Amino acid sequence: QVQLVESGGGLVQPGGSLRLSCAASVNIFSLNPMGWYRQAPGKQRELVADITRGGSTNYADSVKERFIISRDNAKNTVYLQMNSLKPEDTAVYYCKATGPPPYRRDYWGQGTQVTVSS
């Protein structure tokens, strides 16, 4: 069973930065891709960014040039560096990982709250 534990959320002022971490209970080389999603109150969960085993990345248009996703296979951890934060980035951020074939099951973390407010 894969467990994902997020950390690093909190309250930050507009223009500030936060780094989220997602620690996996297994070798993340077996998880492909891994990514970050977010859900704001009253809205659907949406993709923020994901990263493949080979390091290819994909970002939502709303976070391009501001957020950076990375993975450290040695630490079994995926990071989301969030810069120039805006109030509209306020949401619960979830880590997601897709397991290996044949089932390619999706695993989710419990979420971490990010609030951008002055």
Side-chain angles (χ1 to χ4, degrees):
Q1 182 74 3
V2 176
Q3 292 185 328
L4 304 172
V5 179
E6 302 102 332
S7 61
L11 173 63
V12 63
Q13 292 187 342
S17 298
L18 281 176
R19 188 177 80 155
L20 304 183
S21 299
C22 171
S25 61
V26 299
N27 188 331
I28 64 171
F29 190 78
S30 65
L31 304 173
N32 189 42
M34 295 188 71
W36 289 94
Y37 287 69
R38 67 186 181 187
Q39 187 166 19
K43 295 189 176 181
Q44 289 188 332
R45 192 173 297 188
E46 62 176 2
L47 172 69
V48 176
D50 61 21
I51 185 167
T52 68
R53 180 188 297 128
S56 297
T57 58
N58 176 47
Y59 295 93
D61 288 343
S62 59
V63 307
K64 282 180 181 177
E65 309 299 331
R66 300 189 298 124
F67 290 10
I68 301 171
I69 189 171
S70 61
R71 60 193 289 166
D72 186 334
N73 291 336
K75 294 183 178 180
N76 294 324
T77 300
V78 172
Y79 303 98
L80 184 69
Q81 177 66 43
M82 305 186 295
N83 302 317
S84 302
L85 283 160
K86 305 175 181 180
E88 51 264 42
D89 294 317
T90 296
V92 178
Y93 283 70
Y94 297 91
C95 180
K96 176 189 170 185
T98 301
Y103 303 109
R104 294 191 58 76
R105 176 181 172 181
D106 287 334
Y107 300 92
W108 292 90
Q110 82 286 352
T112 185
Q113 177 70 46
V114 172
T115 302
V116 184
S117 175
S118 55

